[in-house]
Amino acid sequence: MKTARLSFTLVAIALLAGISGAQPQVAPLDEQYREIAGRLIGAALVDQDGWEKLSYLTTRIGHRLSGSSQLDRAVQWAHDGMKAEGLNPRLQAVKVPRWVRGRESAQVVIPVEKPLRMLGLGGSVATPPEGITAPVVVVGSFDEMEAMGRSRIRDRIVLFDMPWDGYGRTVQYRTGGAARAAKFGAVAVLVRSVTGVSLYSPHTGEMNYDTLTERIPAAAITVEDAAWIRTMSENGQTVTVRLAMEARALPDSDSANVIGEIVGRELPGEVVVVGGHLDSWDIGQGAHDDGAGVIAAWQALTLIRQLGLQPRRTIRVVLWTNEENGTRGARAYRSALGADVASHVAAIEMDSGAERPVGFGFVMPNPAQNAPASTRLKQIAKLLEGIDAGAITTGEGGADIEPLMRDGVPGLDLQTTQEHYFDWHHTEADTLDKIDPRNFRRCIASLAVMAYVLADMPGRLAN
Ligand SMILES: [Zn+2]
């Protein structure tokens, strides 16, 4: 009796195993794509053309603020280059804000005369022509400013000397400091540059006013000068600064997103988009931010095409315009899609600099999709383990793919070691010489493999 039951159980197990074994076994993605990934990585690691493009963009064209002639040149140059490569480029017209820095300066006038290295913040208004001369009140946080109250802030220049606490938490003083200080009657703000490390470089970046308070000028000074002013004031010595800025907003300018693609062989209407932003601030060369991102994405398509690969779906590269001070390019791209946004199976952004890539962060529209997506992405990422770029984590997406992600498109961002990115970010020092060509090539390889497999794999990320 016992024996009979046991053998019945064994038969049942054998039958079940047989049934499941009869279903088609799908090889994991890393097995399916190992050969093609090897060719893509091999081509990227010896690629010279991508570096030459990046060199041209950063050293010959230079920085590329929205509305500048350099950005116009970059748009045309990228379009012509993609055309020569057969990437079917088109320009998507976008109206962009135009902010012009003009001449600007800051100096301490009391108790000593001392120039301050500074950069006006993007979007700031000008001072009167004679400048603003006022005593500086130093605060380390919004709470500290609010505790001081209007009587100690009014008619003063507020210096936000906040400690570095990572970019996301620290940048609120740059973006919102002027509006908050204006509520207390401040006449201008200086912001300690948003960086953890400084070699006496000011860092610019976008700032915003609110509609309720007066618009007061805002500039970044160096970490070193902020520390000096704080020390002086803690020793009872009020520092008086003269700030002069000509910054102004001009009417919106014409610009464009540059879009190239490799049309899919089976599902041309389904799209994997990969890109970064072509614009930069009006200083340095916009090398890490984000020349490297747009060129790496473009070069990924160049290599896929040169290897004669045509994925099942379309791979599209987008060089978005105006990320830094408006994200109008990203919004124009999204709105032009309309309901067709559902055609986008994934959006990949590279905008964290070109230090050594470590892998990808991902965001699914619905958290219930995280598990299946993570399984598939980890299989793809195995293909990048040979270049140490095989990590998959939950990420945050990026500014240029955010409008797509908000409407249901899975988002991925290339993640790097970021050891020094924020040391150079938005400074005169964000230049080509800060990029290691070997790391840049690994970024190209990572984008090429991820974009290709996502575009070619049998199903989508979460089904
Ligand atoms: Zn950027």
Side-chain angles (χ1 to χ4, degrees), residues 18-101:
I19 289 164
S20 71
Q23 287 176 343
Q25 284 290 310
V26 179
L29 294 167
D30 50 307
E31 284 179 25
Q32 294 181 52
Y33 290 101
R34 186 154 303 279
E35 191 269 334
I36 284 178
R39 289 167 65 198
L40 285 169
I41 294 169
L45 293 185
V46 297
D47 178 69
Q48 191 55 30
D49 180 45
W51 182 259
E52 278 164 18
K53 286 173 180 160
L54 181 60
S55 174
Y56 190 91
L57 177 67
T58 54
T59 63
R60 300 282 296 278
I61 295 178
H63 57 66
R64 307 169 295 282
L65 186 60
S66 288
S68 66
S69 60
Q70 295 100 307
L71 180 58
D72 291 345
R73 271 185 69 199
V75 164
Q76 203 54 53
W77 166 79
H79 176 272
D80 294 349
M82 287 186 193
K83 193 169 182 185
E85 294 176 2
L87 291 174
N88 303 314
R90 63 191 167 93
L91 296 181
Q92 180 174 55
V94 183
K95 285 275 187 202
V96 295
R98 183 161 185 212
W99 176 82
V100 178
R101 176 179 303 283

Side-chain angles (χ1 to χ4, degrees), residues 142 162-175 194:
F142 290 132
M162 67 290 172
W164 168 253
D165 185 25
Y167 188 72
R169 284 179 297 275
T170 313
V171 75
Q172 60 177 323
Y173 292 94
R174 188 193 79 207
T175 54
V194 181

